[in-house]
Amino acid sequence: MIRVLLADDEELIRAALGALLDLEPDLTVVAQAADGPAAVTAARAHRPDVAVVDLEMPGLDGFGVIAELARVLPDCAVVILTGRGRPAHLPRALTAGARGFLAKGSPAGALADVIRRVRAGGRYVDPALAADALSIPPCPLTPRELETLRLAEYGAPVAVIARRAHLSSGTVRNYLASAVQKLGAASRADAVRLAHDNGWL
């Protein structure tokens, strides 16, 4: 039997997936978790062969869960299951150590097949996301522009960003203005959104 951990903050989806996977003769769901820290705790307690992890969860996102499982349970293969897969998330997830990447809208039997594949040492990537990932534009921002944009993400004033980045307020304004201009954004908040959508932040 392949032992599976399900981690998704949406209870209805988690319960439905658990019910579907338990119908498979060679799969058993040994634990479920509603957030990232609970997923890591459950993995330590139940030692699953495969963890199916939602990308966006409270406490610790899917990337953080991958990193923690690689540290505490390296033999556990991770499949990322996402409802809003952005092309830039794919290389980041694979670099972090995910063995599979699947959209929640996939056919019902696909997840079971992917679980079997990654347990056997293979990989699986949703073909549509893989095709989109090949067309990701390179980030036009410098590391400093990205850093100031990241610090500006929650509406922090320029003076606070300057203090955190160890820069002058004028330099921070210049970096933010440059980032907005390079991304063709309407505002700082729009620049942050565009950078997130492209996976640069």
Side-chain angles (χ1 to χ4, degrees):
M1 292 291 281
I2 300 173
R3 297 164 54 79
V4 180
L5 161 69
L6 291 177
D8 194 308
D9 61 330
E10 296 181 61
E11 186 176 353
L12 187 61
I13 290 174
R14 197 173 66 245
L17 288 174
L20 283 171
L21 292 178
D22 277 337
L23 294 174
E24 300 290 331
D26 58 339
L27 306 180
T28 181
V29 176
V30 295
Q32 296 187 23
D35 59 46
V40 174
T41 300
R44 283 181 161 175
H46 297 277
R47 308 192 67 77
D49 301 307
V50 178
V52 178
V53 178
D54 185 20
L55 200 54
E56 296 179 9
M57 290 187 295
L60 190 66
D61 66 12
F63 300 115
V65 172
I66 295 169
E68 275 300 297
L69 292 184
R71 190 176 64 79
V72 302
L73 198 63
D75 291 338
C76 178
V78 179
V79 174
I80 291 291
L81 189 64
T82 180
R84 294 188 303 151
R86 296 187 180 109
H89 288 159
L90 176 58
R92 185 175 167 200
L94 296 177
T95 300
R99 307 281 308 170
F101 201 93
L102 188 66
K104 284 183 180 175
S106 300
L111 180 57
D113 291 340
V114 171
I115 289 170
R116 292 182 187 103
R117 184 181 296 194
V118 301
R119 175 61 179 146
R123 289 183 181 268
Y124 177 84
V125 173
D126 181 277
L129 285 173
D132 289 345
L134 293 174
S135 63
I136 299 172
C139 180
L141 305 180
T142 66
R144 276 299 208 179
E145 288 165 348
L146 273 175
E147 179 188 7
T148 54
L149 203 57
R150 185 175 291 112
L151 291 171
E153 184 170 3
Y154 300 106
V158 168
V160 172
I161 297 169
R163 204 166 41 250
R164 290 180 181 162
H166 307 290
L167 298 169
S168 71
S169 293
T171 301
V172 167
R173 281 190 200 90
N174 289 341
Y175 281 142
L176 290 173
S178 178
V180 168
Q181 185 264 326
K182 284 181 179 179
L183 296 179
S187 65
R188 187 192 307 179
D190 190 37
V192 168
R193 181 190 60 76
L194 287 168
H196 265 296
D197 286 351
N198 284 288
W200 301 324
L201 278 183

